[in-house]
Amino acid sequence: MTQITIIGAGLAGLTLARTLAVHGIRSTVYEAETSAQARGQGGILDIHDYNGQHGIRAAGLMDGFRSLVLEGRQASRDVAPDGTILADQPDDPTAGRPEVQRGELRQLLLESLPADTVVWGHKTHSVRTLADGRHQVTFANGSTIATDILIGADGAWSKVRPLLSDATPAYAGRSMVETYLHESDTRHPATLALVGSGSMTAYDETTRIGIGVQRERADTLHAYAMFDQPLDWFDGIDFNDGPAAARTVAAMFDGWAPELVALVADSDVPPVFRPLYGLPIGHRWEHVPGITLIGDAAHLAPPDGEGANWALFDAGQLGNAIAGQPEDIDAAIRSYETALFPRNVDTATAAAAYYPDFTPY
């Protein structure tokens, strides 16, 4: 039996494993985290009918997916720094981009797999190709495995990618500071009212700072303070000191509406610094037998609402390709890559348009 190894138990890796399992093909997923509950899984995702939902459908999980949809969250607002609502788009349940919590979607995928599919606590240290054409993965705990088929679903800083490409992510010219307000219906009603039932964005063209907010389950507000600045601009902020970082970042929004400033100043968790990166537009590689990439490992782009969707799509496409040619998996990988590379150009170009300071090499 051909051994298929997937590195990374994010949405892409799990969707691929599940799609293979639907067709009776076994795979093993190795994940650095020690358990499914080791850390938070991010916020809300809008899963699009033209890409992300194809991956969910390939995994046979559309009914479960629909049960996770948060009603009303497709509404969106644009707001001025003073709190004036500039544009107000109501929820449209027919828009084809229902919103779900990333963590809940990941849990749906995990529960759909045989219990021994994911091997937790195995952080990849390095990979190499063996003389017999198989690939060896060495983990940080000192253990190793050799596999016939190796699929990198290990994100932006993929350890699998160097076997295929020397490309590394470049800074996109924007960084975010992530914050949360919990129980906003009772603790921050004015902020919740301004955000509305879905998402909200405020941006100041002069100072090049902004705030993006998503309304999650249980009236949690998940916010990202946005700064179009070089990386060294943030050197003076000590993100190891949560309260001090919150004060420093909130001070940058001096003069903004207090309902907006509260998203940073009153955060219920320490602010998290998240610089954004992207791979070169049109990232591709010469085919290497028995190995490929999906998701951000293959086509990391600065966030534009499409990253998770194309990761799900990749997983479904590769899984179905392998299921269609189980006796020649390398041919299946070639067909997947042939379709992937032109798509990488289009998706990366679209994402880069939102980031004027991003100059992918």
Side-chain angles (χ1 to χ4, degrees), residues 25-44:
I25 300 172
R26 177 174 174 77
S27 64
T28 303
V29 182
Y30 289 89
E31 168 56 43
E33 294 173 7
T34 56
S35 73
Q37 293 76 40
R39 67 176 179 87
Q41 293 300 310
I44 283 181

Side-chain angles (χ1 to χ4, degrees), residues 60-269:
L61 294 173
M62 282 301 293
D63 287 345
F65 167 75
R66 293 187 185 100
S67 74
L68 301 179
V69 170
L70 297 175
E71 301 299 334
R73 297 307 199 274
Q74 294 185 64
S76 63
R77 281 180 175 173
D78 290 326
V79 175
D82 66 0
T84 302
I85 296 175
L86 304 174
D88 193 3
Q89 182 68 39
D91 177 69
D92 180 2
T94 68
R97 49 182 184 87
E99 305 267 1
V100 298
Q101 299 270 169
R102 179 189 288 266
E104 294 178 4
L105 180 56
R106 188 195 194 207
Q107 190 61 34
L108 173 69
L109 288 160
L110 284 168
E111 291 173 357
S112 75
L113 292 168
D116 61 348
T117 300
V118 180
V119 181
W120 301 98
H122 278 64
K123 182 179 181 180
T124 300
H125 177 267
S126 61
V127 295
R128 68 187 184 100
T129 302
L130 301 173
D132 63 3
R134 294 188 301 158
H135 306 285
Q136 178 178 286
V137 182
T138 299
F139 299 102
N141 61 15
S143 64
T144 63
I145 57 119
T147 186
D148 302 308
I149 303 296
L150 179 63
I151 298 153
D154 49 342
W157 306 101
S158 171
K159 295 291 188 179
V160 179
R161 189 192 300 128
L163 277 188
L164 296 169
S165 165
D166 60 3
T168 56
Y171 180 55
R174 173 177 293 177
S175 291
M176 296 185 174
V177 178
E178 183 181 21
T179 63
Y180 282 88
L181 293 185
H182 299 308
E183 300 172 348
S184 60
D185 55 334
T186 56
R187 299 175 60 215
H188 299 279
T191 299
L192 181 63
L194 183 58
V195 171
S197 63
S199 62
M200 185 216 72
T201 303
Y203 188 77
D204 186 328
E205 295 283 354
T206 301
T207 59
R208 306 184 76 205
I209 67 174
I211 298 177
V213 193
Q214 296 173 316
R215 182 172 180 171
E216 297 185 358
R217 198 180 295 282
D219 291 321
T220 290
L221 295 179
H222 186 182
Y224 294 90
M226 302 176 289
F227 303 90
D228 291 337
Q229 300 292 344
L231 279 173
D232 59 9
W233 191 81
F234 302 90
D235 288 349
I237 304 174
D238 182 7
F239 286 98
N240 292 316
D241 184 340
R247 289 192 298 271
T248 301
V249 175
M252 298 175 187
F253 292 90
D254 182 46
W256 283 50
E259 297 89 344
L260 296 174
V261 178
L263 290 161
V264 179
D266 298 337
S267 178
D268 290 312
V269 301

